[in-house]
Amino acid sequence: MSDTINTYTPDTILDTARSMRWEMGTDYHQTLMEDLYSDAATIAGRAVTRPDQKPRFDLDHTIDRLVTSRLFGFPIMILLFTVIFWLTISGANVPSAMLADLLIGTIYPWLHEVANAIGMPWWLSGFLIDGMYLATAWVVSVMLPPMAIFFPLFTLLEDFGYLPRVAFNLDNIFRKSGAHGKQSLSMMMGFGCNAAGVISTRIIDSPRERLVAIITNNFSLCNGRWPTQILVATLFIGALVPAHVAGLVSALAVVGIAALGILLTFVLSWSLSRGVLKGEASTYSLELPPYRPPRILQTLYTSIIDRTIPVLWRAILFALPAGAVIWLISNVTVGGTSIAEYMIDFLNPLGLLLGLNGVILVAFIVAIPANEIVIPTILMLTVLVSGFSGAGAGAGVMFELDSAVQTKAVLVAGGWTLLTAISVMLFSLIHNPCSTTIYTIFKETGSKRWTTVSALLPLALGFLVTFVVAQVWRLLGGV
């Protein structure tokens, strides 16, 4: 390579340039100038409107006037993201059920048959299959389909050129809260997965504003928490109204929780930017790119390779030990009582103060690797401590029920009331990030201090909000 470079002396380069000059023809300069003037005339024709001429139709400007309008910009944005969330939630049901049928309905019993055939001790098969495998199977079946749908849809909006318009619409609100306008994009990404939302804060140049975006991303309701919200709202809030409006009321309750998360993002951003992360809001130039047709196949490929698989792999790495812990605390006994029951008894007084109970707090602790396993863990622990018969497959074996009536019966047997349901929805929104997100925060910030703050600040806020709600609820005579 170096020998090739050394052969190009100044004389040889000049000789080559002279040779190429004649190869391009004698009208090169004329052609170049004609093209420049032609392009300039085209640009001027699109940008300049003369008083005596009717403005030319410009599709980009027409769309921009609509999606960035003060009147229609926000409704369109809310409607668009509502459709994406609806497609993600509804569209994920079928593949999630298929994956659950394969991983839990087929492979799980087959693994037990193999374990029995080779004479594996019950404790080893329980630890490996009921614990580690089952937790991982839950995470994959619940987490993979929503991510495989949400990330491509989000990337399609990005390719189309709409996301910069979202940042434009929300820039003023974020600026007033001391944050960066681009935080709107990382916040939206957090609705799919908080770990991906944290990674997407790389688009923010200011370290201070990026840190604000990372700490507050937890309040974007990720896909791992949507199933909990939807199930609890359906069982306890939708049940308060007639059946023909129950679905609408349940959906509004979940949307209200998501809206509360956005409000908390603004409030905490404002507090941080005027406290420990005080500083001037940075300025930036937001270029609104032209709209262009999305490249669907490329989007699918990059979304799966760059976003879905890495996030899912991290979740699996954390789900394996979580499954082991859940099985161990449910099956290892001291004095005839399992460790899980000791933990539940210890945390029950605190849980009741928060409108929750010990089972729920233990479930949130052991399910920190993946929010997807909170409800299965709550059901398993409730059956374990309440002695509810007819549900579950034993201590440490997570499960879900197909029947909403039976699911509610298990929860009511565990002492659930309407206050419990509301407190669970609030705590699920505000509590600490999952371990995958915490690890991602550490990788992105490289700071143990800010990783700890990002994990504990939402947890403290979750305790505070649920405590206040529970006390006010009881003062008003609620049960």
Side-chain angles (χ1 to χ4, degrees):
M1 181 68 181
S2 60
D3 294 340
T4 305
I5 293 175
N6 291 333
T7 59
Y8 287 102
T9 62
D11 290 338
T12 59
I13 294 173
L14 288 173
D15 290 340
T16 304
R18 292 191 193 97
S19 172
M20 294 179 66
R21 165 71 179 83
W22 292 110
E23 289 177 2
M24 285 187 292
T26 56
D27 58 345
Y28 167 72
H29 287 289
Q30 181 178 348
T31 304
L32 176 63
M33 296 309 295
E34 286 177 353
D35 289 343
L36 285 175
Y37 278 100
S38 176
D39 290 343
T42 302
I43 295 171
R46 294 183 59 184
V48 178
T49 302
R50 302 181 187 282
D52 57 341
Q53 292 180 349
K54 184 179 178 180
R56 299 181 60 180
F57 175 76
D58 189 299
L59 181 60
D60 282 11
H61 288 175
T62 303
I63 298 176
D64 272 345
R65 279 194 293 270
L66 192 63
V67 299
T68 61
S69 152
R70 290 187 176 182
L71 182 62
F72 299 109
F74 275 88
I76 290 174
M77 187 174 62
I78 293 172
L79 178 64
L80 200 54
F81 281 105
T82 301
V83 170
I84 288 180
F85 294 146
W86 177 77
L87 287 173
T88 301
I89 295 171
S90 302
N93 287 337
V94 174
S96 283
M98 294 172 66
L99 275 174
D101 186 55
L102 173 65
L103 298 176
I104 300 171
T106 304
I107 296 180
Y108 172 65
W110 177 77
L111 288 175
H112 265 297
E113 290 176 6
V114 172
N116 293 333
I118 62 176
M120 184 179 291
W122 71 269
W123 56 269
L124 187 55
S125 65
F127 180 79
L128 295 176
I129 301 173
D130 295 334
M132 299 179 74
Y133 171 79
L134 199 56
T136 307
W138 276 112
V139 169
V140 172
S141 61
V142 176
M143 196 170 178
L144 178 58
M147 285 198 304
I149 295 173
F150 181 82
F151 286 151
L153 289 176
F154 199 82
T155 310
L156 284 175
L157 286 182
E158 187 179 8
D159 278 358
F160 180 61
Y162 180 68
L163 291 190
R165 275 77 182 178
V166 172
F168 178 83
N169 288 339
L170 294 175
D171 178 63
N172 191 39
I173 300 177
F174 276 101
R175 184 171 53 81
K176 286 182 178 178
S177 63
H180 199 287
K182 290 181 181 177
Q183 187 177 330
S184 60
L185 303 181
S186 61
M187 183 183 72
M188 292 297 176
M189 183 66 83
F191 278 108
C193 173
N194 292 131
V198 169
I199 293 173
S200 69
T201 60
R202 294 174 184 174
I203 61 175
I204 300 174
D205 297 325
S206 161
R208 183 190 71 84
E209 291 166 333
R210 189 184 176 207
L211 205 50
V212 172
I214 288 174
I215 294 172
T216 58
N217 193 270
N218 179 62
F219 301 121
S220 296
L221 200 61
C222 69
N223 61 44
R225 290 177 281 176
W226 284 103
T228 301
Q229 298 288 340
I230 294 170
L231 178 67
V232 175
T234 303
L235 294 181
F236 288 89
I237 297 179
L240 299 174
V241 297
H244 63 280
V245 292
L248 177 62
V249 171
S250 303
L252 289 175
V254 177
V255 171
I257 289 292
L260 175 62
I262 296 174
L263 177 63
L264 287 173
T265 298
F266 290 130
V267 172
L268 197 63
S269 297
W270 183 87
S271 302
L272 289 170
S273 63
R274 283 160 179 77
V276 293
L277 291 175
K278 187 176 182 179
E280 291 293 328
S282 64
T283 58
Y284 72 103
S285 298
L286 179 61
E287 181 183 356
L288 297 182
Y291 294 102
R292 53 185 180 270
R295 293 160 294 183
I296 296 176
L297 292 180
Q298 182 178 344
T299 297
L300 284 174
Y301 176 79
T302 54
S303 297
I304 292 174
I305 299 299
D306 295 340
R307 295 176 178 173
T308 303
I309 291 179
V311 174
L312 181 65
W313 177 243
R314 288 184 185 180
I316 290 174
L317 291 180
F318 285 105
L320 283 168
V325 170
I326 291 171
W327 189 88
L328 285 173
I329 65 170
S330 303
N331 287 276
V332 175
T333 61
V334 179
T337 303
S338 66
I339 294 175
E341 291 174 282
Y342 280 117
M343 293 175 66
I344 291 168
D345 290 340
F346 177 75
L347 292 173
N348 205 44
L350 173 62
L352 294 176
L353 276 177
L354 304 176
L356 305 166
N357 58 41
V359 166
I360 297 168
L361 289 182
V362 171
F364 273 106
I365 291 173
V366 298
I368 189 174
N371 288 295
E372 291 81 356
I373 59 177
V374 166
I375 289 295
T377 307
I378 287 176
L379 291 173
M380 182 271 291
L381 292 176
T382 300
V383 170
L384 178 69
V385 298
S386 68
F388 188 91
S389 60
V397 184
M398 292 181 291
F399 67 93
E400 278 192 328
L401 299 166
D402 295 332
S403 167
V405 175
Q406 196 175 6
T407 301
K408 187 175 182 180
V410 173
L411 296 177
V412 171
W416 277 52
T417 63
L418 180 59
L419 171 61
T420 314
I422 293 172
S423 298
V424 166
M425 293 178 74
L426 289 172
F427 195 71
S428 174
L429 167 70
I430 307 174
H431 81 298
N432 54 279
C434 68
S435 55
T436 306
T437 303
I438 294 173
Y439 178 71
T440 303
I441 292 172
F442 176 70
K443 295 289 287 185
E444 292 297 314
T445 63
S447 165
K448 294 179 181 177
R449 176 192 174 197
W450 289 116
T451 303
T452 305
V453 170
S454 302
L456 297 185
L457 184 60
L459 183 62
L461 193 59
F463 283 154
L464 177 64
V465 170
T466 50
F467 175 78
V468 171
V469 169
Q471 303 317 309
V472 171
W473 181 276
R474 286 162 181 153
L475 282 175
L476 295 177
V479 179

